[in-house]
Amino acid sequence: MNLSEIKRLDSEHFLGVFGERCPVCFTRGEGCTLYDQDGKAYTDLFAGIAVNALGYNHPAVTGALVAQAQTGVLHTSNLYYVEPQAKLAALLCENTFADRVFFSNSGAEANEGAMKLARKFFCAQGSGRYKIVSSDHSFHGRTLATVAATGHDYYQAPYLPMLPRGFSQVPYNDLDALRAAVDEDTAAVMLEPIQGEGGVTPADKEYLRAVRALCDETGALLILDEVQTGVCRTGSFYCYEQYGVTPDIMTSAKGLGCGFPIGAVLATEKVASAIAIGDHGSTFGGNTLACAVSLSAVSYMLGHDFSAAAREKGEYLRTALCAIGSDKIAEVRGMGLLLGVQLVPEVSAGALVRRLLSRGFVVGTAAGNVLRLTPPLIIEHAQIDAFVQALGEELQNV
Ligand SMILES: *Cc1c(COP(=O)(O)O)cnc(C)c1O
């Protein structure tokens, strides 16, 4: 089917939430390269929104997926033991602060689980603490509760009144505002260590440390949403390590399955001990296929020190971006291979994405006219060089 036929079916039958998409349909991928229906090659610096950390057709992903599929067992339900689920839970606990893990199918669902855990933690103590304080310009997902936690009218306005009560947002990186918002009813503070969708804005180190101290002081739990920042992307397995701040609950998704949908809630034993049989559950969450793929991909990334690779390549990319020396670039922000290029208002990030696409480079945007670069962690220096060269030329042309 050619692109115009696909576009016609999409515009006639698909719910109109994505509108006019980038005019391409990728049909094949290898390494860091995607191919469209005409065989045109594109270098990918977006990875399907920071998901495809191992690029395309990586043996650690494709091999595990095919091998598991060939056993015939994709899913058995959580009524039975699931070997890759148990192993993946152990692997995540061995490599993080967490003692226990629960698997979901997406980031939003992981955040739902995290907020339920926080409320149950206090409920189990006979406390009525229920409020969740998050931040402006945050993004926590599209379910009703995660939309309530997402600090953006754009996401909330069509769905008022917000279903669960007790959500509020404060300016990011503003300790006084957070201090004023946290009270004796606050169950948790929920933050992204780097706001991804919101514009690739990292938390200040002192801020996140002070947030941890504030939580300790007030008894609120700290939930870190590492759905976008996790799994080696920012230069450590999870981003919190680089801040020296340990959460009570953390969520993961995007890069966790390297293209296969899976999410996770991770928690300390202190928090997890409040959970009783039947408090939470999922039909598909933690299914055999998702866990087999994730186990293989995450083991590979840990075994080959992808955190160091993300640090090194991220520094290389950042340095090259700054070396463009363009007056159209206001700032380059982020950590590791989660980078945002803040453009001046005269240059539209959306338009730039389309021009780069036509030149064979896939990149994304974030809120606030930011070009978002989240390439597969396997990207090569030569691919970075070619992209930066093209970006420099495009910025000169506007
Ligand atoms: C993408 C994202 C989510 C939502 O994940 P879904 O898998 O789309 O539900 C939540 N939090 C953050 C920080 C994200 O980047």
Side-chain angles (χ1 to χ4, degrees):
M1 197 176 265
N2 67 34
L3 186 59
S4 55
E5 288 167 329
I6 298 168
K7 275 176 87 167
R8 185 179 57 78
L9 285 182
D10 177 86
S11 68
E12 284 176 12
H13 302 291
F14 192 81
L15 196 68
V17 293
F18 299 124
E20 181 93 354
R21 310 189 199 202
C22 284
V24 66
C25 176
F26 299 116
T27 53
R28 197 164 65 79
E30 194 67 46
C32 218
T33 307
L34 279 164
Y35 298 90
D36 70 13
Q37 294 165 307
D38 303 324
K40 178 180 168 182
Y42 301 78
T43 300
D44 183 18
L45 290 99
F46 198 40
I49 322 187
V51 167
N52 305 320
L54 287 174
Y56 303 92
N57 202 21
H58 194 285
V61 177
T62 308
L65 191 137
V66 169
Q68 186 58 49
Q70 282 176 338
T71 68
V73 173
L74 308 180
H75 165 91
T76 60
S77 91
N78 288 309
L79 298 176
Y80 313 100
Y81 289 99
V82 179
E83 183 176 337
Q85 182 190 91
K87 286 180 170 168
L88 181 60
L91 183 70
L92 293 178
C93 289
E94 276 159 26
N95 288 282
T96 65
F97 73 97
D99 302 306
R100 290 185 186 272
V101 180
F102 182 84
F103 294 110
S104 63
N105 305 290
S106 68
E109 253 185 273
N111 284 334
E112 289 271 347
M115 294 187 282
K116 284 177 74 179
L117 259 180
R119 284 191 174 183
K120 181 66 209 289
F121 174 72
F122 289 106
C123 172
Q125 301 169 21
S127 154
R129 295 176 77 137
Y130 68 101
K131 291 183 184 170
I132 309 280
V133 183
S134 56
S135 66
D136 293 341
H137 307 294
S138 58
F139 183 80
H140 298 296
R142 302 289 204 152
T143 62
L144 279 168
T146 57
V147 163
T150 289
H152 218 296
D153 287 345
Y154 171 80
Y155 296 106
Q156 294 190 356
Y159 304 109
L160 297 174
M162 279 294 112
L163 195 59
R165 286 191 304 125
F167 285 83
S168 65
Q169 283 85 42
V170 293
Y172 194 57
N173 276 331
D174 182 338
L175 186 65
D176 290 337
L178 186 65
R179 193 179 288 282
V182 172
D183 62 23
E184 64 279 3
D185 286 331
T186 302
V189 174
M190 179 154 87
L191 296 170
E192 297 154 88
I194 302 174
Q195 290 187 332
E197 303 299 312
V200 191
T201 311
D204 297 332
K205 241 184 187 138
E206 313 76 68
Y207 173 71
L208 209 55
R209 289 186 181 158
V211 172
R212 176 71 269 181
L214 178 65
C215 287
D216 292 338
E217 191 186 306
T218 58
L221 298 173
L222 177 60
I223 302 174
L224 288 183
D225 178 346
E226 292 235 27
V227 167
Q228 190 153 164
T229 50
V231 198
C232 305
R233 172 138 312 267
T234 67
S236 50
F237 188 35
Y238 284 90
C239 191
Y240 73 85
E241 299 164 39
Q242 293 177 76
Y243 281 90
V245 168
T246 306
D248 301 291
I249 304 171
M250 180 179 79
T251 54
S252 184
K254 292 199 165 85
L256 189 59
C258 284
F260 200 90
I262 182 170
V265 195
L266 298 89
T268 59
E269 188 64 47
K270 180 184 100 170
V271 174
S273 64
I275 293 294
I277 293 167
D279 279 345
H280 195 43
S282 175
T283 299
F284 291 128
N287 69 75
T288 317
L289 185 58
C291 290
V293 173
S294 176
L295 176 64
S296 170
V298 173
S299 302
Y300 186 90
M301 286 192 274
L302 286 170
H304 292 79
D305 203 352
F306 269 54
S307 294
R311 267 198 310 278
E312 189 275 319
K313 290 171 189 178
E315 233 13 80
Y316 185 83
L317 174 55
R318 177 199 293 271
T319 305
L321 289 167
C322 294
I324 293 175
S326 171
D327 58 3
K328 313 279 176 12
I329 296 178
E331 191 185 15
V332 180
R333 298 190 292 264
M335 288 163 70
L337 284 174
L338 172 54
L339 291 178
V341 180
Q342 176 71 59
L343 299 165
V344 296
E346 301 80 73
V347 184
S348 150
L352 191 56
V353 164
R354 282 165 190 253
R355 286 206 306 281
L356 287 164
L357 186 71
S358 69
R359 288 184 66 143
F361 295 97
V362 182
V363 297
T365 62
N369 206 31
V370 171
L371 203 65
R372 185 166 27 154
L373 305 175
T374 55
L377 307 181
I378 57 161
I379 193 165
E380 292 166 11
H381 291 111
Q383 293 170 316
I384 292 176
D385 293 342
F387 164 71
V388 172
Q389 163 100 28
L391 176 62
E393 287 166 15
E394 284 303 322
L395 287 174
Q396 216 149 35
N397 291 342
V398 285

